Coordinates of all heavy atoms in Angstrom, one line a residue:
V21 N 1.7 2.2 11.7 CA 2.9 3.0 11.4 C 3.3 3.7 12.7 O 4.5 3.7 13.0 CB 2.6 4.1 10.3 CG1 3.7 5.0 10.1 CG2 2.1 3.4 9.0
D22 N 2.4 4.2 13.4 CA 2.6 4.8 14.7 C 1.2 4.7 15.5 O 0.3 4.1 15.0 CB 3.2 6.2 14.7 CG 2.3 7.2 13.9 OD1 1.1 7.1 13.9 OD2 2.9 8.0 13.2
E23 N 1.1 5.4 16.6 CA -0.1 5.3 17.4 C -1.4 5.9 16.7 O -2.5 5.5 17.0 CB 0.1 6.0 18.7 CG 1.0 5.3 19.6 CD 1.1 6.0 21.0 OE1 0.4 6.9 21.2 OE2 2.0 5.6 21.7
Q24 N -1.2 6.8 15.7 CA -2.3 7.4 15.0 C -2.4 7.2 13.5 O -3.3 7.7 12.9 CB -2.2 9.0 15.2 CG -2.3 9.4 16.7 CD -3.6 8.9 17.3 OE1 -4.7 9.1 16.7 NE2 -3.5 8.4 18.5
T25 N -1.5 6.3 13.0 CA -1.5 6.1 11.6 C -1.4 4.6 11.3 O -0.6 3.9 11.9 CB -0.3 6.8 10.9 OG1 -0.3 8.2 11.4 CG2 -0.3 6.8 9.4
T26 N -2.1 4.2 10.2 CA -2.1 2.8 9.8 C -1.8 2.6 8.3 O -2.3 3.4 7.5 CB -3.5 2.1 10.2 OG1 -3.7 2.3 11.5 CG2 -3.5 0.7 9.8
R27 N -1.0 1.6 8.0 CA -0.8 1.3 6.6 C -1.6 0.1 6.2 O -1.7 -0.9 6.9 CB 0.7 1.0 6.4 CG 1.1 0.7 4.9 CD 2.6 0.4 4.7 NE 3.4 1.4 5.4 CZ 3.7 2.6 4.9 NH1 3.1 3.0 3.8 NH2 4.4 3.5 5.6
L28 N -2.3 0.2 5.0 CA -3.0 -0.9 4.4 C -2.3 -1.3 3.2 O -2.1 -0.5 2.3 CB -4.5 -0.4 4.1 CG -5.3 -1.2 3.2 CD1 -5.6 -2.6 3.9 CD2 -6.6 -0.5 2.8
T29 N -2.0 -2.6 3.1 CA -1.4 -3.1 1.8 C -2.3 -4.2 1.3 O -2.7 -5.1 2.1 CB 0.0 -3.6 2.0 OG1 0.1 -4.5 3.1 CG2 1.0 -2.4 2.4
G30 N -2.5 -4.3 0.0 CA -3.3 -5.3 -0.5 C -3.2 -5.3 -2.0 O -2.3 -4.6 -2.6
T31 N -4.1 -6.1 -2.7 CA -4.2 -6.1 -4.1 C -5.7 -6.1 -4.5 O -6.5 -6.4 -3.6 CB -3.5 -7.3 -4.7 OG1 -4.1 -8.5 -4.2 CG2 -2.0 -7.4 -4.4
T32 N -6.0 -5.8 -5.7 CA -7.3 -5.8 -6.2 C -7.4 -6.1 -7.7 O -6.5 -5.8 -8.4 CB -8.1 -4.5 -5.9 OG1 -9.5 -4.7 -6.2 CG2 -7.5 -3.3 -6.6
G33 N -8.5 -6.7 -8.1 CA -8.7 -6.8 -9.5 C -9.7 -5.7 -10.0 O -9.9 -5.6 -11.2
N34 N -10.2 -4.9 -9.0 CA -11.1 -3.9 -9.4 C -10.8 -2.6 -8.6 O -11.3 -2.4 -7.5 CB -12.6 -4.4 -9.0 CG -13.6 -3.4 -9.4 OD1 -13.4 -2.3 -9.7 ND2 -14.9 -3.9 -9.4
P35 N -10.0 -1.8 -9.1 CA -9.6 -0.5 -8.4 C -10.8 0.4 -8.1 O -10.7 1.1 -7.1 CB -8.6 0.2 -9.4 CG -8.1 -0.9 -10.3 CD -9.2 -1.9 -10.4
Y36 N -11.8 0.3 -8.9 CA -13.0 1.2 -8.6 C -13.6 0.7 -7.3 O -13.9 1.6 -6.4 CB -14.0 1.2 -9.8 CG -15.1 2.1 -9.6 CD1 -15.0 3.5 -9.9 CD2 -16.3 1.7 -9.0 CE1 -16.0 4.4 -9.6 CE2 -17.4 2.6 -8.8 CZ -17.2 3.9 -9.1 OH -18.2 4.8 -8.9
W37 N -13.8 -0.6 -7.2 CA -14.4 -1.1 -5.9 C -13.5 -0.7 -4.7 O -14.0 -0.3 -3.7 CB -14.6 -2.6 -6.0 CG -15.1 -3.2 -4.7 CD1 -16.3 -3.3 -4.3 CD2 -14.2 -3.8 -3.7 NE1 -16.4 -3.9 -3.0 CE2 -15.1 -4.2 -2.7 CE3 -12.9 -4.0 -3.6 CZ2 -14.6 -4.9 -1.5 CZ3 -12.4 -4.6 -2.5 CH2 -13.3 -5.0 -1.4
Y38 N -12.3 -0.9 -4.9 CA -11.3 -0.6 -3.8 C -11.4 0.9 -3.4 O -11.5 1.2 -2.2 CB -9.9 -1.0 -4.2 CG -9.0 -1.3 -3.1 CD1 -8.7 -2.7 -2.8 CD2 -8.3 -0.4 -2.4 CE1 -7.8 -3.0 -1.8 CE2 -7.4 -0.7 -1.4 CZ -7.2 -2.0 -1.1 OH -6.3 -2.4 -0.1
A39 N -11.4 1.8 -4.4 CA -11.6 3.2 -4.1 C -12.9 3.5 -3.4 O -12.9 4.4 -2.5 CB -11.5 4.0 -5.5
E40 N -13.9 2.9 -3.8 CA -15.2 3.1 -3.1 C -15.1 2.7 -1.6 O -15.7 3.4 -0.8 CB -16.3 2.3 -3.7 CG -16.8 2.8 -5.1 CD -17.8 1.9 -5.7 OE1 -17.7 0.6 -5.5 OE2 -18.8 2.4 -6.3
Q41 N -14.4 1.6 -1.3 CA -14.3 1.2 0.0 C -13.5 2.2 0.8 O -13.8 2.5 2.0 CB -13.6 -0.2 0.1 CG -14.3 -1.3 -0.6 CD -15.7 -1.5 -0.2 OE1 -16.0 -1.7 0.9 NE2 -16.6 -1.3 -1.2
L42 N -12.4 2.7 0.2 CA -11.6 3.8 0.9 C -12.4 5.0 1.1 O -12.3 5.7 2.2 CB -10.4 4.1 0.0 CG -9.4 2.9 -0.1 CD1 -8.3 3.3 -1.1 CD2 -8.8 2.5 1.2
A43 N -13.2 5.4 0.2 CA -14.0 6.6 0.3 C -15.0 6.6 1.5 O -15.3 7.6 2.0 CB -14.8 6.9 -1.0
A44 N -15.4 5.4 1.9 CA -16.3 5.2 3.0 C -15.6 5.3 4.4 O -16.2 5.3 5.4 CB -17.0 3.9 2.9
L45 N -14.2 5.3 4.4 CA -13.5 5.4 5.6 C -13.8 6.6 6.4 O -13.9 7.7 5.8 CB -12.0 5.3 5.4 CG -11.5 4.0 4.9 CD1 -10.0 4.1 4.6 CD2 -11.7 2.9 5.9
P46 N -13.9 6.6 7.7 CA -14.2 7.8 8.5 C -12.9 8.5 8.9 O -12.8 9.1 10.0 CB -14.8 7.2 9.8 CG -14.2 5.8 9.9 CD -14.0 5.3 8.5
A47 N -11.9 8.5 8.0 CA -10.6 9.1 8.3 C -9.9 9.5 7.0 O -10.1 8.8 6.0 CB -9.7 8.2 9.1
P48 N -9.1 10.5 7.0 CA -8.3 10.9 5.8 C -7.3 9.7 5.5 O -6.8 9.0 6.3 CB -7.5 12.1 6.3 CG -8.2 12.6 7.5 CD -8.8 11.4 8.1
F49 N -7.0 9.6 4.2 CA -6.1 8.6 3.7 C -5.3 9.1 2.5 O -5.7 10.1 1.9 CB -6.8 7.3 3.4 CG -7.7 7.4 2.2 CD1 -7.3 7.2 0.9 CD2 -9.1 7.7 2.4 CE1 -8.2 7.3 -0.1 CE2 -10.0 7.8 1.4 CZ -9.5 7.6 0.1
R50 N -4.2 8.5 2.2 CA -3.4 8.8 1.1 C -3.0 7.5 0.4 O -2.5 6.6 1.0 CB -2.1 9.5 1.5 CG -2.3 10.9 2.0 CD -1.0 11.5 2.7 NE -0.4 10.7 3.7 CZ -1.0 10.5 5.0 NH1 -2.1 11.0 5.3 NH2 -0.3 9.8 5.9
V51 N -3.2 7.5 -0.9 CA -2.8 6.3 -1.7 C -1.3 6.5 -2.1 O -1.0 7.4 -2.9 CB -3.6 6.1 -3.0 CG1 -3.2 4.9 -3.8 CG2 -5.1 6.0 -2.6
E52 N -0.5 5.7 -1.5 CA 1.0 5.8 -1.7 C 1.5 4.8 -2.7 O 2.7 5.0 -3.1 CB 1.7 5.7 -0.4 CG 1.4 6.9 0.5 CD 2.3 7.0 1.7 OE1 3.0 6.0 2.1 OE2 2.3 8.0 2.4
G53 N 0.8 3.8 -3.1 CA 1.2 2.9 -4.0 C 0.1 2.3 -4.8 O -1.0 2.1 -4.3
G54 N 0.4 1.9 -6.1 CA -0.6 1.4 -6.9 C -1.1 2.4 -7.9 O -2.1 3.2 -7.6

């Protein structure tokens, strides 16, 4: 998005698994879609 921000776009069949993967990130995040 800029030098300090990244957008991740994808799809999943398992939102719980996806949320777990996001929780393990070493940075703050915001779910803007889905």
Side-chain angles (χ1 to χ4, degrees):
V21 173
D22 56 38
E23 290 182 9
Q24 298 300 316
T25 311
T26 304
R27 181 177 314 281
L28 166 65
T29 55
T31 62
T32 186
N34 185 343
Y36 186 82
W37 174 84
Y38 207 97
E40 287 177 324
Q41 303 306 302
L42 294 173
L45 290 176
F49 65 89
R50 293 170 303 289
V51 179
E52 293 191 343

